[in-house]
Amino acid sequence: MSKKPQFGLLIDYEYCTGCHTCQVACAQENNWPAGMGGIRVQEIVQALPHDKHYLTYLPFPTELCILCRPRTKKGLDPACVKHCMAGCMTFGPIDELAEKIKEKPRMVLWVPR
Amino acid sequence: MPSSETQIYKTTTWSPGPGCHGGCGVLAHVKDGKLVKIEGDPDHPMNQGRLCARALAMTQYIDHPDRLRSPMRRTGSRGEGKWEAISWEEAFDLIQEKMNKIREEYGPESMVFNVGTGRDIYAWICMLAYAYGSPNVMFGLTGQACYGPRLAAAITVQGDFAVFDAAQWFEDRYDHPGYKVPETMIIWGYNIHATCPDNLFGHWIIDLMKKGTKIICIDPRLSWFGSRAKHHLRLRPGTDSALVMGFLHVVINQGLYDDAFVKKWSNAVHLIRKDTGKLVRECDLVSDGSEKNFAAWDTRDSKPVIWDTTQVGFKDATAVDPAVSGEWEIKMANGQTVVCHTVWDAFCDRVNEYPLDKVETITGVPAKDIHDAAVMYAKSKPGAIHWGVAVDMTPALTPLVTGISALWAITGNLDVPGGNVFARFAFDVVPYALPGTKGAIRLKTEEQDKPRIGADRYMPLNKFYWRCQTDMTLDQIFTEDPYPIKGMWIQTAGIMQGLGMDPKKWRAALEKLDFIVAVDLFHTPTTQYADVVLPAGTFLEKDSFRSWWVPLQTINKVVEVEGCRPDVAINFELAKRFDPEFKFDTIQDLYDDILKPSGMTFKELQAKGWAYPPEGSSSCPYLRHEKGLLRPDKKPGFRTQTGLFELYATLREEWDLEPMPRHEEPPFTPVSRPDLAKDYPLILSTGRRSPAFFHTEHRQIPWLREIDPDPVVEIHPITAAENHISHGEWMWIENWMGRARYKAKVTPVVPEWMIMAPHGWWFPEKKAAEPDLYGMWDANINQLIPMGHQGKDGQGAPIKHSMCRIYKCEGGRS
């Protein structure tokens, strides 16, 4: 049985611009070769009424995400959170993030493996 | 001395490396003399700890196995891909010998110095060219259609360039007292957050949105901003100028402008003759009058008064109340009576040629949306506009740029907190001349500038933009008229794979030259045509400084890569060899000299890291026209020839160029060329930015290539279905000039009538030698875009709006 999760990533996907900084920050920090990494940015194009569309980018923590344990143990943010150009990622204890998610819509709370 | 402990150094990005226009603070982690990690500097006011994918990938970039690590001499024919390594001394000697021969036989102007996008090397390329004696520094894009034309056009009417205000002028940024967040921001043809061009940090706009800024997006594509915009105006490419006329129509006819600004700070009150449509100049009214003074109608005395441009005020008059609108019969010095009205009347007449139904027909944007967006912007106090390269990439760029400038000026948003703020070099430290400035690095004599290609034909180039005209230069390589071009210095510029339109023509031109030097970090399609290739260093391998707008800051050397040298060191060595009177012994002397206006030496600035100009200096906002901070004579006003914001451009009248905004249909659109539209029914737009790449760079960096592995064209689902193309399939994009192969991304982010093909594609993993040339001939979209269609200013060119047809590749991937 796996350990109960304590920490998560809160993503404000209203502001994610799809810059992929988180991907490269993760690869650099954790020495992942291209093709692997702890986070991936997805693009979602959703049709809306009146021939409009909405473009969303969503960073998704993969099976390789360890929430940068060596960094967070030192009190640092995970590499993706630190470098996020849009400042749309927050790391923290799940309870705190669950409080924070109430502040505005278009957010998602990830709890990686 | 390399340390086995990890050391952390602060420095500043500015290409080579991330490729962008730079300025972000970074922390470079170095161990045993190698870069082991790079992070954003949390103390740096520009990026505040953040860092983009391209800068973070520096650890893969700096020791990349493909990096050039020795000067190379070509041993085969051009494009054959055969090279031998030579020493730096051999390379310098060879270059000196060959370039001296060209100078002796044909004159220094026969050597062209080609530069790419705006990086710190611009200064050092000018330094080398000018030390050699050539005025022909060439930005290799048709119509120089990136940034410079915008600068030159804006400076013509407002004396300075202006950018959106994200409090970037202040070390305390958004907390600065007096700073205001724009209520509305118009993002005009700009996907700024993807690459941070134009010396701005794209995500500042996201910061502002979080603080409440609402967005109006002008873009045919559904960009990220478009998706979040209050109004997204999806115009037909090339019709931006009609759209801005629609905005002005709404603002003026609904009285949403700042009439105090218009009357006091613009040339609205100056008189125009109705018979000729030209300005009334003092010399028209009195026989010994100046042709550089203008006239207004004084409503107190009911007579004309002279606007004295040397005084930036009315002549011999203490209290003048000039009329903004009206019509008068005025007696001229030659006895003739001429009906006159004001610039404002003429400007309004021009604007009224563009009612919204007409603008809707031209642009395809519903009139109601234009109306609502214009009202929203005009009622926002403050409101900001920022424009992307789309405004340069059209031949009639000046009538468009001056329209947008007029929009921010008459709505009272010029140099106000949260509006469009004058951007000047911090502390007036100007290494090389951008349009409208005099740089520290100059030709020795005005005489040497005379042969500059295009300077006698195009006055905006002559007056504001100190480069040769690119399209004319290309032609002159073939015609050799009025003098032959024999050599080219190409420094971190990709004339074959990105910068040059019609690359086959450029290839023929390069083949014709006697001697070509390329300076780059990797071999590229362009370097394959050089005689000598010199390996340059990244920003981490050099001491330099950055003075493009604010702050003034140093770039600090943190590592050395064996075999490579910084651009500045390469050019410094050769400048000394070509100019026996070259006045600097060391690069640090050079830096100290350029930095003089700041009152700091290079070492002093380096110790600080960065410096912000204090309040009261000309490079610190706001309302500098009121405070007398803009003009050399310190008088209130703008740095234009009238001292006013010019709704009617006096210089352009003198140059016989269109003095007011208007729409001119570009040369290759379904409207201007219905004949071509039969065979080429789709609008081809290019240049969409990728956050992974800067123009042609980074295709060999695994972490970045992974983000954007293939040349991908965006195509609407209906258009794809009509052409039997499926998502992910390889397809040809073709027009009368040629074709390029792209992978289809079927997506509704583009309209049905347009496709978007990013530029700059080549494949470092493919064969260097022709006919492959790194697969460039397969994927270079510039093969469908012509040279030689620069606008009447010699600037601007039809890059973002051509025409094409598409069809699927048989056999799938090549």
Side-chain angles (χ1 to χ4, degrees), chain B residues 348-368:
Chain B
C348 292
D349 287 350
R350 172 61 61 82
V351 165
N352 284 326
E353 290 171 25
Y354 295 88
L356 292 193
D357 54 345
K358 179 178 169 182
V359 175
E360 174 174 329
T361 305
I362 299 171
T363 61
V365 180
K368 184 179 182 308

Side-chain angles (χ1 to χ4, degrees), chain B residues 151-166:
Chain B
L151 285 164
I155 288 167
T156 309
V157 294
Q158 60 185 34
D160 273 278
F161 193 56
V163 302
F164 74 94
D165 184 12

Side-chain angles (χ1 to χ4, degrees), chain B residues 378-528:
Chain B
K379 288 191 171 171
S380 297
K381 302 292 175 204
I385 303 177
H386 211 73
W387 48 21
V389 75
V391 307
D392 298 301
M393 291 191 162
T394 195
L397 87 310
T398 304
L400 161 63
V401 166
T402 54
I404 298 175
S405 301
L407 183 61
W408 67 48
I410 69 169
T411 51
N413 283 310
L414 186 53
D415 214 34
V416 299
N420 280 80
V421 169
F422 290 129
R424 283 197 167 179
F425 289 87
F427 303 95
D428 290 317
V429 170
V430 186
Y432 69 101
L434 270 179
T437 55
K438 291 258 184 264
I441 293 169
R442 302 181 199 179
L443 280 164
K444 281 185 195 155
T445 65
E446 280 184 25
E447 197 60 29
Q448 285 179 310
D449 193 47
K450 289 253 165 72
R452 180 157 58 92
I453 299 165
D456 54 348
R457 179 164 156 196
Y458 295 117
M459 286 310 286
L461 229 75
N462 186 306
K463 175 90 177 170
F464 285 128
Y465 196 52
W466 324 105
R467 307 283 167 264
C468 58
Q469 207 291 330
T470 307
D471 304 80
M472 288 178 70
T473 305
L474 177 59
D475 282 342
Q476 193 171 323
I477 292 173
F478 297 106
T479 63
E480 307 199 348
D481 179 32
Y483 56 84
I485 306 293
K486 289 291 174 185
M488 198 179 288
W489 176 275
I490 304 174
Q491 195 156 15
T492 39
I495 198 88
M496 291 292 286
Q497 71 270 25
L499 198 53
M501 301 303 135
D502 196 354
K504 289 202 170 74
K505 192 169 178 184
W506 278 108
R507 177 172 63 180
L510 296 181
E511 276 173 340
K512 194 169 178 299
L513 297 176
D514 289 350
F515 188 62
I516 300 170
V517 183
V519 187
D520 218 311
L521 290 91
F522 296 90
H523 262 309
T524 69
T526 302
T527 63
Q528 294 303 324

